[in-house]
Amino acid sequence: MIKLEGIQKSYGLGKQKLHVLKGLDITIDKGEFVSIMGSSGSGKSTLLNILGILDKYDDGNYFLADTLIKNLSEKKAAYYRNRFLGFVFQSFNLLAFKNATENVALPLYYQKVSRRKRNDIALEYLDMVGLKDWATHMPSELSGGQKQRVAIARALISDPKVILADEPTGALDTKTSYDVMEIFKRVNDAGKTIVVVTHEHDIAAMTKRNIVLKDGFVVDEIMKSSELEVGSIES
């Protein structure tokens, strides 16, 4: 599903360059549930931006579902993002002036799906994450955990191949974090590939594979067969 070959990335700092990624080779197969860990400056955020086609890399090759992602125009990059990827962010990125249903339905709006149909589909996804009864509530009326569940439903509604989650539990308490990870587990069990960037060891332990970055290199990989502990998804 994802294959990185010798990925290099630098940023200019005045006359100097900051070499962030130094030849990464990573393969993530279809249906994997992977966490990417590393301290600040390790390159994990840069890596996620490249995986999300939000930033370009300098050298190497990035294949997404056997498609080479390289030197794309913004129009092409948007096409591949919409076709293959769903995003979940630490800060939720919900629109404050739209209710839960409208936030979830937003990707279908850009796909020109009719208002009634996209709202009907959004309700199905809100039901899947346990929030159907909160469909007409505004983000200001939702808890942090509920906001993140809305964000997950929004990421799923366009049926992406891969979910990219950037510190999805970083703004949540421990119990709510575990509830969110349980939703990710169910989504993964249904066949979705999930990549979670996190600095939290207990969250990484709930994924099936850990990739650890340090100074722009992969320094460790851990495969696990243990399952997530099932928890309530009630808020």
Side-chain angles (χ1 to χ4, degrees):
M1 179 57 66
I2 290 172
K3 187 173 185 180
L4 304 178
E5 299 175 336
I7 295 295
Q8 305 264 356
K9 179 65 180 180
S10 297
Y11 293 102
L13 292 174
K15 295 181 179 179
Q16 297 183 329
K17 279 192 173 183
L18 178 63
H19 199 181
V20 181
L21 300 180
K22 304 172 182 176
L24 292 189
D25 295 303
I26 296 173
T27 299
I28 298 173
D29 293 329
K30 181 180 179 181
E32 282 204 85
F33 188 8
V34 178
S35 58
I36 297 174
M37 295 196 71
S39 59
S40 178
S42 63
K44 62 184 187 297
S45 294
T46 298
L47 172 58
L48 195 76
N49 285 339
I50 289 172
L51 293 177
I53 323 178
L54 299 170
D55 198 0
K56 296 180 179 180
Y57 52 96
D58 300 327
D59 200 10
N61 293 304
Y62 167 27
F63 294 92
L64 176 60
D66 297 322
T67 299
L68 178 61
I69 306 297
K70 195 167 192 174
N71 299 325
L72 301 179
S73 67
E74 182 49 45
K75 185 176 180 180
K76 270 286 189 183
Y79 167 78
Y80 285 117
R81 279 195 298 269
N82 293 336
R83 181 181 177 190
F84 290 110
L85 303 172
F87 296 89
V88 179
F89 302 96
Q90 176 178 345
S91 56
F92 320 125
N93 286 14
L94 302 182
L95 297 180
F97 56 89
K98 290 187 176 293
N99 64 30
T101 299
E102 293 165 334
N103 267 284
V104 173
L106 195 60
L108 299 186
Y109 167 82
Y110 293 111
Q111 294 179 17
K112 311 298 184 184
V113 177
S114 71
R115 180 185 179 92
R116 175 176 288 184
K117 184 175 181 181
R118 67 178 183 260
N119 285 346
D120 286 346
I121 297 171
L123 281 173
E124 293 175 13
Y125 279 90
L126 282 171
D127 192 27
M128 188 197 77
V129 298
L131 285 182
K132 189 173 183 179
D133 291 343
W134 295 79
T136 60
H137 287 246
M138 306 300 283
S140 61
E141 300 172 309
L142 303 176
S143 69
Q146 289 170 329
K147 290 177 185 177
Q148 196 58 293
R149 283 192 256 166
V150 171
I152 292 170
R154 181 186 59 193
L156 290 169
I157 197 169
S158 56
D159 194 26
K161 308 290 186 187
V162 181
I163 298 292
L164 299 175
D166 187 7
E167 298 281 2
T169 62
L172 307 176
D173 62 47
T174 299
K175 180 187 180 302
T176 307
S177 296
Y178 291 176
D179 291 346
V180 165
M181 290 302 291
E182 172 61 23
I183 294 174
F184 279 130
K185 178 188 179 296
R186 296 206 319 263
V187 170
N188 175 248
D189 287 344
K192 293 291 182 194
T193 306
I194 301 179
V195 180
V196 175
V197 165
T198 182
H199 67 278
E200 300 172 280
H201 289 274
D202 56 338
I203 296 301
M206 296 178 184
T207 67
K208 297 175 183 176
R209 178 180 167 205
N210 302 149
I211 297 173
V212 182
L213 302 185
K214 184 177 182 180
D215 298 330
F217 295 101
V218 175
V219 295
D220 197 11
E221 287 197 51
I222 305 167
M223 293 289 296
K224 302 186 299 297
S225 59
S226 59
E227 295 293 329
L228 276 170
E229 182 178 342
V230 176
S232 167
I233 63 169
E234 299 298 324
S235 287

